Amino acid sequence: MKNAETLRGTGARRKRALGWLVLSAIMLAALLMVLTPAWLIQPFRPQTQTGLEVSYRLKQWAPVLTLLASVIALGLMVWLWRGTRWWLRPLLVLALGLTVLATWFARQNHFEWMFNPLPLPAYARAAEVDFLADRDMVLAVEVKGEAVAYPVRLMAYHHLVQDTVGGVPIVATY
């Protein structure tokens, strides 16, 4: 009789351990699904065609797959909660929280966070500029006799600037 109870207890422990393993794998997969594009597409880092394809594919599928991961993680958390010791329960909440956070992040456009226009650009006359070296590249625009130059080093991060040159509103982009 004791052997049957012991075997049943061992089987239940194995199922619970497998549940923890699956929960951890789902959480990790959801996080990787949203962090990989953010890692592969960074300002000032070279990108490969494969890296871009992977990033855009993940951005396309992440909203659906992370939602599925969150639902499964919630089910696993509910199932594991009852038999889990009180001091391990915060780990269940953390695993679910990180999975839900990945689900939220999958619905954000983090590229807009990284590449945004300057909110209040300030301009200086060429003679007053002390932050550019002679070798620095600039994006030059001339409209109706008025010329402006935008440092490529700054444009590489913000990618665009809204300005008025020669009385004409423009958007310069790089």
Side-chain angles (χ1 to χ4, degrees):
M1 190 68 149
K2 270 203 187 248
N3 256 350
E5 285 178 24
T6 303
L7 286 175
R8 253 190 307 235
T10 303
R13 276 194 298 271
R14 283 186 182 160
K15 284 181 183 178
R16 298 185 69 67
L18 182 61
W20 277 94
L21 183 66
V22 170
L23 178 62
S24 299
I26 286 173
M27 176 197 67
L28 185 62
L31 288 170
L32 285 174
M33 197 171 308
V34 296
L35 293 177
T36 299
W39 176 255
L40 290 175
I41 301 177
Q42 292 182 37
F44 306 112
R45 278 195 60 212
Q47 288 126 19
T48 64
Q49 182 173 346
T50 303
L52 290 173
E53 288 173 5
V54 166
S55 294
Y56 286 120
R57 198 65 74 212
L58 285 172
K59 283 294 286 173
Q60 179 182 13
W61 284 99
V64 172
L65 294 177
T66 56
L67 182 62
L68 181 62
S70 287
V71 169
I72 293 170
L74 177 63
L76 283 169
M77 185 187 126
V78 168
W79 177 67
L80 290 168
W81 187 270
R82 207 164 145 221
T84 299
R85 296 186 178 176
W86 69 268
W87 52 272
L88 286 175
R89 287 180 177 171
L91 290 178
L92 288 172
V93 173
L94 179 64
L96 179 63
L98 288 173
T99 307
V100 169
L101 181 65
T103 303
W104 171 82
F105 193 75
R107 285 153 178 74
Q108 306 304 308
N109 186 354
H110 71 277
F111 300 116
E112 287 180 0
W113 302 345
M114 294 187 316
F115 305 112
N116 53 11
L118 287 170
L120 298 170
Y123 303 101
R125 296 197 166 281
E128 300 168 357
V129 172
D130 61 355
F131 57 87
L132 282 178
D134 289 339
R135 69 183 181 284
D136 286 345
M137 292 191 314
V138 295
L139 176 65
V141 177
E142 183 181 349
V143 178
K144 296 183 183 177
E146 183 180 353
V148 294
Y150 309 104
V152 170
R153 184 170 25 102
L154 297 176
M155 294 291 293
Y157 179 74
H158 295 286
H159 290 280
L160 60 93
V161 63
Q162 295 172 314
D163 198 1
T164 301
V165 181
V168 177
I170 66 161
V171 175
T173 185
Y174 171 78

